Amino acid sequence: MHAEDEFDVVIAGGGPVGMGLAIELGLRDIRTLVIERYPEPQPVPKGQNLTQRTMEHFHFWGIEDQLRAARTIPSDYGIGGLTAYGSLTSPYRYDWLQRELVRPYYFTDNERLPQYCTEAVLRARVAQLPSVTARYGYSVARHEVDGDGVTVHAVERNGEARLMARGRFLVGCDGSRSTVRQTAQISQTLSDHDKLMVLLVFRSDELARILARYPGKSFYNVLHPDLEGYWLFFGRVDLENQWFFHAPVPRSAREDGFDFKAYLEKAVGAPIDVAFDHIGFWDLRFAIADRYRADHVFLAGDAAHSHPPYGGYGINTGFEDACNLGWKLAAVLQGWGGDDLLESYHAERHGVFASTAGDFIEKAINEDRAFLSAHDPTVDEAAFIAEWQRRSVGAQGEVASFEPHYEGSPIVPGTQGAGGSAVGRHSHEARAGHHLSPADRPLGGNVYDELGLGFTLFLFGEGGEAPGFRAAAQALGMPLKIVHEPAPALCARYGAQAILVRPDQFVAWADKREGRAPADILSQSIGR
């Protein structure tokens, strides 16, 4: 093994999460190796719904414009969702997953495009970072941990070549069947719904004509009483009339032994032309690693947690893993982050996924099942319509209450809680452990324009505690940018005279007059 084979971080898996993590590290000049089994992104249209929060990552990675330019649906075409009862042509429907409801709390708009387009943009950005090396066409086969780091062995996907590399840390971003997780002997907690699902990618001109009645929509969820709460889920891939479709099928279903065209037509509610581009299967289940860290080894994305593709939570949760872990690894490698900082990755992110799975996805399946069992428009249409209208309001509440936060995290001073949850409330108030809401500055620009790779301290109004924080940051060797905003408007908006913001745009601390010393606040925030 040569010196050029030695890295600070080795990432197994160069899908969206692995590449996002590589960018987080590369922007901080951390020497990183990405090992990815596919030479090119795979043309399967999954992972399409990118939230406003995810687009903040792309903004700070310097590729927001490139990502929006890569979308397969023009920017003037809507990307909203719709839920229908029985079939797509049903008279019973309402808007679904209305992310625009929480737009004021984020710096960027949401986006929608196939994952392979997202991956292409990420790969191009990685190629621009001198400290990041990407080896495509290889898969990690095993690793060995010793006191100083990890030795990683990889094999060529379609050949006999071997690759060996050394890293201080290894991060498994290698999917739900993660080799890294298995080699590290990290157990999983499974919740198996025992459903075989099909993914169909197909072309249909008639479906496009039928769905033209729903302008501004690009994905469609059908609740059918026969499926006991599991979805028939359509999505538009592009404006060339390519679509995808997820739905449960019998365990006996095979590519050549099941009438998928008839199944599609039942879900649509009308005959359509169909030309299949892809037929694949997957198991509907929830899985979460019991630990996100084992010594020098970490897990992120589907390697740490996997769930059905309901509501667009998967890829967005994975990107947040990358953002959370990236700055923490860099802080430790640069010498200013303590080991408690690395421990906080599990504390913060494990709880968020567990809550996402239980409080949103699984809850939705159970509530849909109960609704379909109790209400039938052919039996009591009035009762059905009343409940259907109530559900449409509830669909808005789901978006509003999905607010991942880290209250109770060991590195978030002055908070109590489990350390991570997806259930919360959006607010412009600056709350420790919560995402920072953007705000326009009185003299122009936005507070988000001041955020960077390190910590940022905002001081609102006259006076402030800058000398104490500046001296404490210098003593700790941590990067801290101090921004004075004398106008009182932002103090009123955020409900605090001082806000300390982490590199992942979460509030580390907000001045609530509890009188803690700046050195104590900063030390806890960086795991020391």
Side-chain angles (χ1 to χ4, degrees):
M1 187 164 57
H2 305 289
E4 59 267 23
D5 300 318
E6 298 179 0
F7 299 86
D8 295 315
V9 180
V10 177
I11 300 172
V17 177
M19 285 303 186
L21 177 59
I23 295 169
E24 283 284 339
L25 296 168
L27 290 172
R28 295 171 169 84
D29 296 322
I30 301 300
R31 193 169 185 210
T32 304
L33 171 66
V34 182
I35 302 173
E36 165 54 33
R37 61 178 175 162
Y38 291 116
E40 301 292 338
Q42 297 302 289
V44 178
K46 57 183 180 179
Q48 298 206 51
N49 283 310
L50 303 182
T51 63
Q52 291 101 341
R53 170 57 182 157
T54 287
M55 290 307 299
E56 288 179 353
H57 302 321
F58 281 84
H59 170 80
F60 287 105
W61 293 339
I63 48 176
E64 181 186 354
D65 291 343
Q66 291 88 328
L67 186 84
R68 296 195 190 281
R71 66 184 294 173
T72 55
I73 299 175
S75 58
D76 59 351
Y77 191 96
I79 57 174
L82 174 146
T83 292
Y85 174 83
S87 73
L88 290 179
T89 54
S90 163
Y92 309 111
R93 55 187 179 270
Y94 56 75
D95 289 347
W96 175 63
L97 209 62
Q98 302 171 63
R99 296 201 191 280
E100 67 275 9
L101 297 173
V102 298
R103 174 62 180 87
Y105 303 100
Y106 296 92
F107 187 56
T108 54
D109 290 317
N110 61 324
E111 191 53 272
R112 179 176 174 81
L113 72 170
Q115 182 174 305
Y116 51 82
C117 296
T118 300
E119 288 187 33
V121 173
L122 292 167
R123 288 190 180 203
R125 184 67 174 113
V126 163
Q128 298 172 343
L129 300 172
S131 65
V132 180
T133 300
R135 296 296 299 271
Y136 299 114
Y138 286 81
S139 297
V140 170
R142 71 182 195 280
H143 69 267
E144 295 124 17
V145 178
D146 57 42
D148 299 321
V150 187
T151 301
V152 179
H153 303 266
V155 297
E156 192 176 14
R157 176 175 169 80
N158 295 314
E160 298 181 355
R162 298 289 186 268
L163 180 155
M164 184 170 71
R166 178 83 178 159
R168 173 89 176 271
F169 298 106
L170 168 65
V171 184
C173 301
D174 51 342
S176 60
R177 295 180 175 86
S178 171
T179 297
V180 171
R181 186 187 64 241
Q182 294 173 23
T183 304
Q185 298 183 327
I186 297 176
S187 60
Q188 289 182 294
T189 296
L190 305 178
S191 175
D192 192 348
H193 285 246
D194 194 28
K195 289 290 181 181
L196 179 67
M197 306 290 288
V198 69
L199 166 61
L200 305 177
V201 183
F202 63 98
R203 297 182 184 276
S204 175
D205 296 334
E206 181 60 25
L207 182 58
R209 285 190 286 271
I210 290 173
L211 293 180
R213 69 187 70 181
Y214 307 132
K217 305 301 180 186
S218 61
F219 56 102
Y220 314 84
N221 167 35
V222 177
L223 295 180
H224 195 285
D226 291 349
L227 297 182
E228 299 180 336
Y230 299 102
W231 292 354
L232 301 164
F233 185 47
F234 290 84
R236 180 183 288 278
V237 177
D238 53 35
L239 295 188
E240 302 301 319
N241 296 339
Q242 187 180 51
W243 311 84
F244 70 83
F245 176 73
H246 287 285
V249 292
R251 279 285 170 189
S252 59
R254 298 293 183 268
E255 182 174 344
D256 58 355
F258 188 86
D259 193 344
F260 292 109
K261 182 177 186 295
Y263 198 18
L264 284 170
E265 291 178 336
K266 179 180 179 180
V268 173
I272 59 172
D273 59 301
V274 176
F276 291 107
D277 295 330
H278 171 83
I279 299 175
F281 300 91
W282 53 276
D283 289 312
L284 190 154
R285 69 171 190 173
F286 296 87
I288 182 168
D290 295 321
R291 294 176 292 154
Y292 282 12
R293 180 192 185 187
D295 198 7
H296 294 271
V297 179
F298 294 82
L299 302 176
D302 286 352
H305 46 75
S306 59
H307 59 73
Y310 279 33
Y313 294 108
I315 192 171
N316 298 292
T317 300
F319 278 131
E320 197 68 57
D321 292 344
C323 184
N324 187 289
L325 181 59
W327 75 266
K328 294 174 180 179
L329 286 171
V332 170
L333 290 163
Q334 291 167 348
W336 54 271
D339 193 62
D340 285 350
L341 194 60
L342 298 183
E343 284 297 304
S344 74
Y345 170 65
H346 171 90
E348 293 183 345
R349 298 303 303 155
H350 186 275
V352 166
F353 176 78
S355 175
T356 299
D359 296 323
F360 291 91
I361 304 173
E362 198 156 22
K363 179 182 177 183
I365 295 173
N366 292 334
E367 288 183 346
D368 287 346
R369 179 184 296 122
F371 163 75
L372 293 169
S373 175
H375 296 88
D376 184 338
T378 65
V379 175
D380 188 340
E381 186 177 29
F384 175 90
I385 291 175
E387 182 62 16
W388 189 253
Q389 292 175 342
R390 188 197 67 79
R391 288 172 58 84
S392 69
V393 175
Q396 299 178 17
E398 177 182 343
V399 174
S401 62
F402 182 74
E403 191 257 335
H405 62 83
Y406 306 137
E407 287 189 10
S409 164
I411 63 165
V412 178
T415 62
Q416 297 178 343
S421 175
V423 178
R425 61 178 180 85
H426 288 82
S427 173
H428 293 302
E429 178 188 0
R431 298 164 293 163
H434 292 256
H435 171 266
L436 179 72
S437 168
D440 291 330
R441 302 179 72 186
L443 298 181
N446 194 285
V447 295
Y448 262 62
D449 298 328
E450 301 291 346
L451 302 179
L453 299 177
F455 279 73
T456 305
L457 176 67
F458 289 100
L459 299 173
F460 303 124
E462 300 297 333
E465 303 176 68
F469 277 100
R470 183 177 290 110
Q474 290 175 346
L476 293 167
M478 64 178 290
L480 177 66
K481 177 182 181 180
I482 298 176
V483 179
H484 292 268
E485 183 59 69
L490 292 183
C491 180
R493 176 184 177 87
Y494 285 124
Q497 290 188 320
I499 304 171
L500 180 67
V501 184
R502 305 182 343 176
D504 58 0
Q505 300 90 52
F506 275 72
V507 176
W509 167 84
D511 174 23
K512 302 298 182 183
R513 301 286 185 183
E514 78 274 20
R516 290 194 65 184
D520 292 342
I521 294 168
L522 295 182
S523 293
Q524 184 175 350
S525 297
I526 61 173
R528 293 168 61 179

